[in-house]
């Protein structure tokens, strides 16, 4: 019999729970992004309908934002994907090293996780090198250095680690977003560091250290790996045990944001509720909660599995918990549950990409530039200049209505810049400007009276901004797509 080691302050066996695993649930307006046979798919929450997002292969992980845009790992590059499979951005990271293992220092990125608002990506990386031990005699002077950490990036372009708000953090891995500015990092590379720490990359400088939250040593648990947290911050789930052989559910009363001397208040530490220990193949993949926090996914050797999770409003309980996982998507891996719905239909047909999309005859493959274009993030072979950089600086609806949408653009070279602002599928406004050089400048997109009424009526005004730059004399245009949700005031 496979081991099921469940804990509720003391050892419990979930097999004694009344009832079997939950049957198929009613379809909801949410979705599960996952990878199968090298491609990205979406599934309804009951597993009844699958939608194929990509058909070119090469994908190994995926994460989705609340609006449905996805970040998928393709080799050592990150692809920002639309629901219909369009590659909205294709970029690398500071650790995307393609040299042979004997030559490279960094390995990654791995486990990309997109923030709920779709603007940032956190990822795991590894650093391997060697140094000299000054207190030794040859030939034993070389000391290997193996380190892991978490990097941060904009979700649509390569991002340097020295950019404010995106500094890397060494020592912990497996990032999980709590909100748009807070992540949980786990599985420390050095002991006796805490198993789980809280990181807020936007609130720190280069020397900031993530803050200790908790360690799980109940019944001799040896480590804590990747995990997830519910949106109401009442439940946690982490892969645990030797060689990831268990999956643990925790009850919490919020994720701490304040710390004294680098430690969270003991009252915020989670209660260990129970563990699963019956993964097919012996190991659990990183879990993902449903948007409402009542169900939990993971992947093992059989595919993606789901269980019901009880409410922990009154503390730990096993009442209502599934005794084991049921297969939701056979053969699937890397599941990520989000609130966006699955598009209608069945998605891309293998071997028949949509006209004009990467993979269509005459079109470049994902990651390759179109004729005459530089690779994303790489210098233009003709001008030696890097592509355009941009960010939306307007933060509130009130400011947008009064002064327009401000976009700070660094064009890198002389040419023409076009900025188009959309709210959903509706084009609000466009501005075109000639630029003489690479000086950063702010382009302000003024709104018509009709556009202002549309924006003012929106309850959750999430802007989509396309910035196009055509260098002087060039035949092609480099484009960036930015998104930002404006505050009401």
């Amino acid at each position: 019999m496979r081991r099921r080691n469940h804990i509720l302050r003391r050892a419990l066996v979930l097999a004694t729970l009344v009832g079997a695993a939950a049957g198929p649930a009613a379809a909801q307006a949410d979705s599960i992004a996952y990878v199968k046979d090298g491609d990205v798919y979406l599934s309804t929450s009951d597993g009844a309908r699958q939608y194929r997002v990509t058909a070119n292969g090469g994908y190994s992980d995926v994460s989705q934002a609340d609006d449905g845009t996805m970040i998928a790992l393709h080799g050592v590059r990150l692809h920002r994907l639309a629901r219909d499979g369009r590659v909205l951005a294709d970029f690398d990271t500071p650790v995307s090293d393609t040299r042979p293992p004997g030559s490279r220092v960094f390995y990654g990125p791995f486990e990309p996780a997109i923030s709920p608002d779709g603007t940032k990506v956190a990822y795991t990386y590894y650093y391997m090198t060697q140094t000299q031990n000054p207190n030794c005699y040859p030939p034993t002077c070389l000391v290997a250095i193996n380190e892991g950490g978490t990097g941060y990036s904009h979700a649509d372009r390569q991002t340097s680690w020295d950019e404010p708000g995106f500094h890397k953090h060494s020592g912990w891995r497996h990032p999980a977003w709590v909100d748009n500015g807070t992540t949980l990092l786990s599985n420390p590379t050095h002991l006796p560091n805490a198993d789980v720490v809280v990181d807020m990359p936007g609130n720190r400088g280069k020397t900031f250290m993530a803050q200790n939250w908790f360690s799980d040593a109940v019944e001799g648990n040896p480590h804590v790996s990747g995990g997830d947290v519910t949106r109401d911050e009442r439940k946690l789930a982490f892969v645990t045990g030797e060689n990831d052989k268990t999956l643990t559910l925790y009850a919490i009363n919020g994720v701490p944001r304040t710390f004294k001397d680098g430690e969270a208040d003991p009252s915020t530490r989670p209660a260990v509720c129970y563990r699963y220990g019956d993964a097919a193949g012996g190991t659990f993949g990183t879990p993902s909660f449903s948007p409402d926090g009542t169900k939990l996914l993971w992947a093992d050797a059989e595919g993606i599995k789901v269980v019901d999770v009880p409410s922990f409003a009154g503390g730990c309980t096993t009442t209502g918990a599934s005794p084991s996982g049921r297969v939701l998507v056979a053969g699937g891996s890397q599941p990520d549950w989000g609130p966006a719905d699955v598009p209608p239909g069945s998605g891309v047909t293998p071997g028949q990409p949509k006209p004009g999309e990467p993979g269509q005859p005459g079109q470049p493959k994902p990651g390759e530039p179109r004729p005459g274009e530089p690779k994303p993030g790489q210098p233009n072979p003709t001008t030696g200049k890097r592509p355009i950089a941009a960010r939306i600086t307007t933060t509130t609806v009130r400011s947008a209505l009064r002064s327009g949408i401000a976009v700070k653009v660094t064009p890198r070279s002389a040419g023409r810049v076009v900025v188009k602002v959309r709210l959903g599928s509706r084009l609000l406004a466009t501005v075109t400007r000639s630029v003489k050089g690479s000086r950063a400048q702010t382009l302000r997109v003024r709104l018509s009276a009709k556009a202002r009424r549309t924006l003012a009526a929106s309850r959750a005004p999430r802007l989509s901004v396309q910035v196009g730059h055509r260098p002087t004399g060039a035949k092609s245009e480099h484009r960036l797509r930015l998104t930002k949700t404006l505050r009401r005031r």
Side-chain angles (χ1 to χ4, degrees):
M1 174 180 283
R2 290 176 294 186
R3 183 169 69 91
R4 293 177 180 174
N5 180 23
H6 304 281
I7 298 174
L8 178 56
R9 306 270 184 184
R10 54 188 176 85
L12 294 176
V13 179
L14 249 179
T16 61
L17 288 172
V18 177
Q28 301 176 14
D30 53 14
S31 62
I32 299 161
Y34 65 96
V35 173
K36 184 176 181 179
D37 298 328
D39 277 305
V40 175
Y41 289 78
L42 295 168
S43 172
T44 52
S45 58
D46 59 2
R49 185 167 66 88
Q50 314 302 310
Y51 179 94
R52 187 165 189 160
V53 178
T54 69
N56 294 315
Y59 291 97
S60 57
D61 209 336
V62 66
S63 172
Q64 60 173 327
D66 286 0
D67 67 355
T69 56
M70 292 171 281
I71 284 290
L73 181 60
H74 193 272
V76 297
R77 300 183 69 83
L78 297 176
H79 286 184
R80 182 180 177 90
L81 299 177
R83 305 294 264 186
D84 61 4
R86 285 176 296 128
V87 180
L88 304 178
D90 176 357
F91 57 100
D92 62 4
T93 71
V95 301
S96 299
D97 193 343
T98 58
R99 293 178 296 173
S103 302
R104 73 176 71 176
V105 173
F106 286 105
Y107 291 78
F110 303 105
E111 304 170 307
I114 193 169
S115 59
D117 65 3
T119 63
K120 297 178 285 293
V121 178
Y123 55 87
T124 293
Y125 69 87
Y126 293 91
Y127 175 82
M128 305 179 73
T129 187
Q130 57 188 20
T131 188
Q132 294 282 340
N133 181 349
N135 302 314
C136 73
Y137 295 95
T140 60
C141 294
L142 291 179
V143 178
I145 299 175
N146 300 321
E147 182 64 90
T150 298
Y152 295 93
S153 175
H154 291 286
D156 59 358
R157 60 190 183 276
Q158 186 195 78
T159 306
S160 172
W161 284 345
D162 61 5
E163 181 172 335
F166 293 90
H167 299 305
K168 67 177 177 64
H169 189 84
S170 295
W172 285 266
R173 298 159 280 176
H174 315 303
W177 292 94
V178 182
D179 54 35
N180 294 317
T182 308
T183 59
L184 298 181
L185 312 181
S186 56
N187 201 1
T189 56
H190 303 292
L191 297 177
N193 290 341
D195 286 339
V196 178
V197 297
V198 180
D199 194 18
M200 291 178 280
N203 296 343
R204 61 179 166 90
K206 293 182 179 180
T207 60
F208 177 87
M209 295 296 290
Q211 307 299 301
N212 290 328
W213 187 13
F214 73 93
S215 291
D216 175 4
V218 174
E219 289 196 342
N221 176 58
H223 91 138
V224 174
S225 190
D228 196 18
V229 58
T230 56
R231 291 168 180 255
D232 62 2
E233 300 183 25
R234 290 294 180 266
K235 306 171 191 176
L236 293 174
F238 278 94
V239 176
T240 51
E242 183 178 3
N243 298 321
D244 297 341
K245 290 184 178 180
T246 59
L247 179 68
T248 303
L249 276 294
Y250 305 82
I252 60 173
N253 189 24
V255 174
R257 268 78 166 183
T258 58
F259 304 86
K260 182 178 181 180
D261 300 325
E263 299 287 338
D265 189 289
S267 65
T268 68
R269 293 172 185 165
V272 181
C273 293
Y274 56 88
R275 304 191 199 275
Y276 287 101
D278 56 354
T283 60
F284 288 88
T286 300
S288 178
F289 280 105
S290 61
D292 63 6
T294 63
K295 297 182 184 299
L296 183 72
L297 297 170
W298 71 78
D300 60 23
E302 294 178 345
I304 298 170
K305 294 183 176 177
V306 63
V307 290
D308 292 323
V309 182
S311 171
F312 293 156
C316 285
T317 180
T318 56
T319 301
S322 301
S324 61
R326 68 176 180 88
V327 176
L328 192 71
V329 180
S333 66
Q334 313 300 328
D336 187 47
W337 211 327
D341 205 352
V342 179
S346 58
V348 179
T349 300
Q352 296 180 346
K354 296 180 180 180
E357 291 302 311
Q360 185 76 6
Q363 298 295 328
K365 296 179 180 179
E368 293 182 354
R370 295 180 182 275
E373 286 186 343
K375 290 183 178 180
Q378 300 298 314
N380 186 297
T382 302
T383 65
K385 299 291 186 180
R386 292 185 179 274
I388 193 170
R391 63 186 179 91
I392 304 168
T393 59
T394 299
T395 58
T396 66
V397 173
R398 176 180 294 179
S399 176
L401 296 176
R402 181 177 63 250
S403 306
I405 311 298
V407 181
K408 188 173 183 179
V409 179
T410 306
R412 309 297 189 187
S413 64
R416 187 188 69 171
V417 173
V418 179
V419 179
K420 297 180 180 180
V421 179
R422 286 182 169 84
L423 181 63
S425 61
R426 182 171 299 179
L427 180 65
L428 294 183
T430 300
V431 66
T432 300
R433 179 177 296 179
S434 296
V435 293
K436 297 181 178 180
S438 59
R439 180 178 57 87
Q441 52 195 285
T442 298
L443 277 66
R444 194 168 294 277
V445 186
R446 303 286 181 176
L447 303 179
S448 66
K450 182 178 180 180
R452 289 198 299 271
R453 289 194 297 271
T454 299
L455 180 60
S458 176
R459 293 185 177 181
R462 182 176 178 80
L463 300 180
S464 174
V465 177
Q466 177 181 294
V467 182
H469 174 231
R470 178 172 293 179
T472 301
K475 295 182 179 180
S476 59
E477 181 181 69
H478 178 77
R479 296 177 180 176
L480 287 177
R481 285 182 173 85
L482 314 174
T483 59
K484 188 164 191 174
T485 301
L486 301 182
R487 304 193 306 271
R488 297 303 306 178
R489 61 178 65 231

PDB file of all heavy atoms in Angstrom, residues 213-227:
ATOM      1  N   TRP A 213       9.823  33.410   7.097  1.00  0.00           N
ATOM      2  CA  TRP A 213       8.456  33.191   7.540  1.00  0.00           C
ATOM      3  C   TRP A 213       8.363  31.924   8.389  1.00  0.00           C
ATOM      4  O   TRP A 213       8.090  31.983   9.581  1.00  0.00           O
ATOM      5  CB  TRP A 213       7.495  33.121   6.365  1.00  0.00           C
ATOM      6  CG  TRP A 213       6.049  33.069   6.794  1.00  0.00           C
ATOM      7  CD1 TRP A 213       5.547  33.322   8.043  1.00  0.00           C
ATOM      8  CD2 TRP A 213       4.913  32.756   5.970  1.00  0.00           C
ATOM      9  NE1 TRP A 213       4.177  33.186   8.055  1.00  0.00           N
ATOM     10  CE2 TRP A 213       3.762  32.838   6.803  1.00  0.00           C
ATOM     11  CE3 TRP A 213       4.766  32.417   4.640  1.00  0.00           C
ATOM     12  CZ2 TRP A 213       2.484  32.582   6.317  1.00  0.00           C
ATOM     13  CZ3 TRP A 213       3.488  32.167   4.156  1.00  0.00           C
ATOM     14  CH2 TRP A 213       2.354  32.250   4.979  1.00  0.00           C
ATOM     15  N   PHE A 214       8.629  30.744   7.794  1.00  0.00           N
ATOM     16  CA  PHE A 214       8.475  29.535   8.593  1.00  0.00           C
ATOM     17  C   PHE A 214       9.280  28.387   8.005  1.00  0.00           C
ATOM     18  O   PHE A 214       9.718  28.424   6.850  1.00  0.00           O
ATOM     19  CB  PHE A 214       7.004  29.129   8.690  1.00  0.00           C
ATOM     20  CG  PHE A 214       6.424  28.544   7.419  1.00  0.00           C
ATOM     21  CD1 PHE A 214       6.420  27.159   7.202  1.00  0.00           C
ATOM     22  CD2 PHE A 214       5.884  29.357   6.432  1.00  0.00           C
ATOM     23  CE1 PHE A 214       5.884  26.620   6.048  1.00  0.00           C
ATOM     24  CE2 PHE A 214       5.347  28.818   5.265  1.00  0.00           C
ATOM     25  CZ  PHE A 214       5.342  27.446   5.073  1.00  0.00           C
ATOM     26  N   SER A 215       9.458  27.359   8.810  1.00  0.00           N
ATOM     27  CA  SER A 215       9.993  26.067   8.386  1.00  0.00           C
ATOM     28  C   SER A 215       9.038  24.983   8.871  1.00  0.00           C
ATOM     29  O   SER A 215       8.385  25.138   9.901  1.00  0.00           O
ATOM     30  CB  SER A 215      11.386  25.828   8.966  1.00  0.00           C
ATOM     31  OG  SER A 215      12.336  26.691   8.381  1.00  0.00           O
ATOM     32  N   ASP A 216       8.956  23.902   8.124  1.00  0.00           N
ATOM     33  CA  ASP A 216       8.099  22.777   8.482  1.00  0.00           C
ATOM     34  C   ASP A 216       8.989  21.585   8.819  1.00  0.00           C
ATOM     35  O   ASP A 216       9.543  20.940   7.932  1.00  0.00           O
ATOM     36  CB  ASP A 216       7.172  22.437   7.312  1.00  0.00           C
ATOM     37  CG  ASP A 216       6.328  21.184   7.577  1.00  0.00           C
ATOM     38  OD1 ASP A 216       6.403  20.637   8.696  1.00  0.00           O
ATOM     39  OD2 ASP A 216       5.599  20.768   6.644  1.00  0.00           O
ATOM     40  N   ALA A 217       9.120  21.302  10.126  1.00  0.00           N
ATOM     41  CA  ALA A 217       9.907  20.149  10.572  1.00  0.00           C
ATOM     42  C   ALA A 217       9.029  19.118  11.274  1.00  0.00           C
ATOM     43  O   ALA A 217       9.537  18.250  11.985  1.00  0.00           O
ATOM     44  CB  ALA A 217      11.012  20.615  11.513  1.00  0.00           C
ATOM     45  N   VAL A 218       7.698  19.216  11.081  1.00  0.00           N
ATOM     46  CA  VAL A 218       6.779  18.295  11.732  1.00  0.00           C
ATOM     47  C   VAL A 218       7.079  16.864  11.286  1.00  0.00           C
ATOM     48  O   VAL A 218       7.218  16.585  10.095  1.00  0.00           O
ATOM     49  CB  VAL A 218       5.323  18.668  11.409  1.00  0.00           C
ATOM     50  CG1 VAL A 218       4.363  17.619  11.967  1.00  0.00           C
ATOM     51  CG2 VAL A 218       4.991  20.037  11.975  1.00  0.00           C
ATOM     52  N   GLU A 219       7.192  15.965  12.267  1.00  0.00           N
ATOM     53  CA  GLU A 219       7.515  14.568  12.029  1.00  0.00           C
ATOM     54  C   GLU A 219       8.783  14.394  11.194  1.00  0.00           C
ATOM     55  O   GLU A 219       8.898  13.493  10.363  1.00  0.00           O
ATOM     56  CB  GLU A 219       6.345  13.827  11.374  1.00  0.00           C
ATOM     57  CG  GLU A 219       5.179  13.626  12.322  1.00  0.00           C
ATOM     58  CD  GLU A 219       4.201  12.569  11.821  1.00  0.00           C
ATOM     59  OE1 GLU A 219       4.235  12.253  10.616  1.00  0.00           O
ATOM     60  OE2 GLU A 219       3.414  12.076  12.635  1.00  0.00           O
ATOM     61  N   GLY A 220       9.748  15.298  11.410  1.00  0.00           N
ATOM     62  CA  GLY A 220      11.035  15.175  10.740  1.00  0.00           C
ATOM     63  C   GLY A 220      11.020  15.514   9.265  1.00  0.00           C
ATOM     64  O   GLY A 220      11.907  15.065   8.530  1.00  0.00           O
ATOM     65  N   ASN A 221      10.044  16.308   8.805  1.00  0.00           N
ATOM     66  CA  ASN A 221       9.998  16.676   7.396  1.00  0.00           C
ATOM     67  C   ASN A 221      11.333  17.292   6.976  1.00  0.00           C
ATOM     68  O   ASN A 221      11.785  18.263   7.580  1.00  0.00           O
ATOM     69  CB  ASN A 221       8.860  17.674   7.139  1.00  0.00           C
ATOM     70  CG  ASN A 221       8.836  18.160   5.701  1.00  0.00           C
ATOM     71  OD1 ASN A 221       8.730  17.373   4.767  1.00  0.00           O
ATOM     72  ND2 ASN A 221       8.940  19.469   5.526  1.00  0.00           N
ATOM     73  N   PRO A 222      11.977  16.773   5.913  1.00  0.00           N
ATOM     74  CA  PRO A 222      13.323  17.225   5.570  1.00  0.00           C
ATOM     75  C   PRO A 222      13.397  18.506   4.763  1.00  0.00           C
ATOM     76  O   PRO A 222      14.419  19.193   4.782  1.00  0.00           O
ATOM     77  CB  PRO A 222      13.885  16.044   4.766  1.00  0.00           C
ATOM     78  CG  PRO A 222      12.682  15.427   4.122  1.00  0.00           C
ATOM     79  CD  PRO A 222      11.571  15.581   5.116  1.00  0.00           C
ATOM     80  N   HIS A 223      12.344  18.833   4.007  1.00  0.00           N
ATOM     81  CA  HIS A 223      12.435  20.074   3.218  1.00  0.00           C
ATOM     82  C   HIS A 223      11.065  20.472   2.684  1.00  0.00           C
ATOM     83  O   HIS A 223      10.104  19.708   2.708  1.00  0.00           O
ATOM     84  CB  HIS A 223      13.454  19.914   2.079  1.00  0.00           C
ATOM     85  CG  HIS A 223      12.871  19.423   0.786  1.00  0.00           C
ATOM     86  ND1 HIS A 223      13.246  19.944  -0.422  1.00  0.00           N
ATOM     87  CD2 HIS A 223      11.948  18.470   0.495  1.00  0.00           C
ATOM     88  CE1 HIS A 223      12.582  19.329  -1.402  1.00  0.00           C
ATOM     89  NE2 HIS A 223      11.809  18.431  -0.865  1.00  0.00           N
ATOM     90  N   VAL A 224      11.002  21.720   2.191  1.00  0.00           N
ATOM     91  CA  VAL A 224       9.786  22.271   1.589  1.00  0.00           C
ATOM     92  C   VAL A 224      10.156  22.774   0.204  1.00  0.00           C
ATOM     93  O   VAL A 224      11.083  23.561   0.048  1.00  0.00           O
ATOM     94  CB  VAL A 224       9.213  23.423   2.435  1.00  0.00           C
ATOM     95  CG1 VAL A 224       8.041  24.084   1.719  1.00  0.00           C
ATOM     96  CG2 VAL A 224       8.780  22.919   3.807  1.00  0.00           C
ATOM     97  N   SER A 225       9.433  22.332  -0.808  1.00  0.00           N
ATOM     98  CA  SER A 225       9.736  22.714  -2.187  1.00  0.00           C
ATOM     99  C   SER A 225       8.676  23.687  -2.698  1.00  0.00           C
ATOM    100  O   SER A 225       8.156  24.488  -1.934  1.00  0.00           O
ATOM    101  CB  SER A 225       9.831  21.455  -3.059  1.00  0.00           C
ATOM    102  OG  SER A 225      10.337  21.769  -4.332  1.00  0.00           O
ATOM    103  N   GLY A 226       8.317  23.614  -3.998  1.00  0.00           N
ATOM    104  CA  GLY A 226       7.406  24.584  -4.580  1.00  0.00           C
ATOM    105  C   GLY A 226       6.009  24.523  -4.006  1.00  0.00           C
ATOM    106  O   GLY A 226       5.543  23.469  -3.563  1.00  0.00           O
ATOM    107  N   GLY A 227       5.296  25.664  -4.029  1.00  0.00           N
ATOM    108  CA  GLY A 227       3.957  25.703  -3.450  1.00  0.00           C
ATOM    109  C   GLY A 227       3.080  26.786  -4.023  1.00  0.00           C
ATOM    110  O   GLY A 227       3.407  27.437  -5.014  1.00  0.00           O
TER     111      GLY A 227
END
